[in-house]
Amino acid sequence: MTAASEKPHARPLAILQLNHTGRQSPLIIGGRGVFGGPPSSASSVPVRSRDKRDGVISQLAYWLLFPTPKTLSTEDIDDVIERFVRGAQLAHQAGFDGIELHASHGYLISGFLSPKTNLRTDRYGFPKELTIIESILNRIRATIPQPFAIGIKVNAADYVSGSVTAEQALEHTREMASWRMLDFIEISGGDYERPDFSASASPRQAFFAKFSRLALKALPQGDGMPVIMLTGSLRTKEVMTRTIRDGHAHLIGIGRPAVICPSYPRVLLQPPSSNAPEDAGLLKFPDPPSPLWLKVLNTGLIGAGINTAWHCALMWRIGNDYWGGLPASGGGIPEGGVPKIGGIRAMLELWRPWPGRPALVILLCLVLLAVILFK
């Protein structure tokens, strides 16, 4: 990567991810009040369940949490572009080695790339759906001196009828690489209408390895090409090693395991004993809470939300040293194990600045109930 060209092995790079949630900014949970106005999107297409397995409760949750978004005007888009550029400038001034644009999972930039949510007829609509990304990259490269790494996170597919297909996503990857302004492209997938990407880890692992391999082969030849990073349900050293060895990606992304064990990369790099299997001694990660009532309600959105909230609660504890201290060396899950946090408590902690306040928990429960009943 560009930022590492001078001292490639001096230290790990610190990359800051920049994101605008767009139409997937929910009421209350996302920090927006009930009367805070609609979210923004490429077009006024509301978030609704596209999964036939979802029940009535799930459909109701979509309707309550996600109002119809407003369509961004060209002036609004210009402002969005400048805010991304400003975010990159602040990251550079703060000492980060680079930034990553989040153009995946159905958030704002991703919405411009999908025919499901981009119904525009101006210069930001199809077939010029990549214009907003190119504009952001051009402005960042023009204002921030090298070395400064820039990456982007994109969807392999959205798994929804009428949305971006794998072929379209591959063409997006090829074209963005040809600009020679990106240092890495991260492959992921899914959105809130099919929140499979937020579900519990699958034993299959490496959800998007096939697409990442195709993307790697499709990159134009020559200098200045980005590397391909694969993320999504990668858990074991065996699968990670095979992914790199078999040419599915240049880099591996580790997200939620690193929340449970911040030193997990160090654990992975430790050599196994001579006679032990490659994954012997590696950590066994606990599953996020999956209460019985959630299975009865049959709602994928709430299940994915609890999964995400549980990991957010763990990150909050790491950042505030509420976990009782992380191990100083050697790696592993922090002493005392993973805190016991239920699904409801994790969801509530998204709204409060500190844990362990029962009165505030009860108050927030009452407020949420009132919103559902009287909206």
Side-chain angles (χ1 to χ4, degrees), residues 292-306:
L292 178 61
W293 59 265
L294 183 61
K295 299 177 181 178
V296 173
L297 291 178
N298 186 29
T299 167
L301 176 67
I302 297 177
I306 288 178

Side-chain angles (χ1 to χ4, degrees), residues 339-369:
K340 303 297 183 181
I341 307 172
I344 295 297
R345 180 177 179 182
M347 293 286 285
L348 290 172
E349 287 188 7
L350 292 179
W351 305 324
R352 57 191 175 130
W354 62 89
R357 301 287 182 178
L360 186 57
V361 172
I362 296 173
L363 176 61
L364 288 171
C365 286
L366 294 175
V367 170
L368 178 60
L369 180 62

Side-chain angles (χ1 to χ4, degrees), residues 237-308:
K237 186 174 183 179
E238 177 188 4
V239 172
M240 296 177 195
T241 302
R242 188 169 64 245
T243 297
I244 299 296
R245 183 188 63 220
D246 295 348
H248 291 281
H250 299 110
L251 300 174
I252 291 296
I254 303 173
R256 298 186 182 196
V259 172
I260 299 173
C261 176
S263 56
Y264 193 48
R266 184 185 303 153
V267 175
L268 289 170
L269 293 175
Q270 293 175 351
S273 60
S274 57
N275 297 322
E278 191 169 21
D279 282 326
L282 290 184
L283 304 177
K284 304 299 182 182
F285 293 101
D287 292 325
S290 181
L292 178 61
W293 59 265
L294 183 61
K295 299 177 181 178
V296 173
L297 291 178
N298 186 29
T299 167
L301 176 67
I302 297 177
I306 288 178
N307 187 304
T308 300

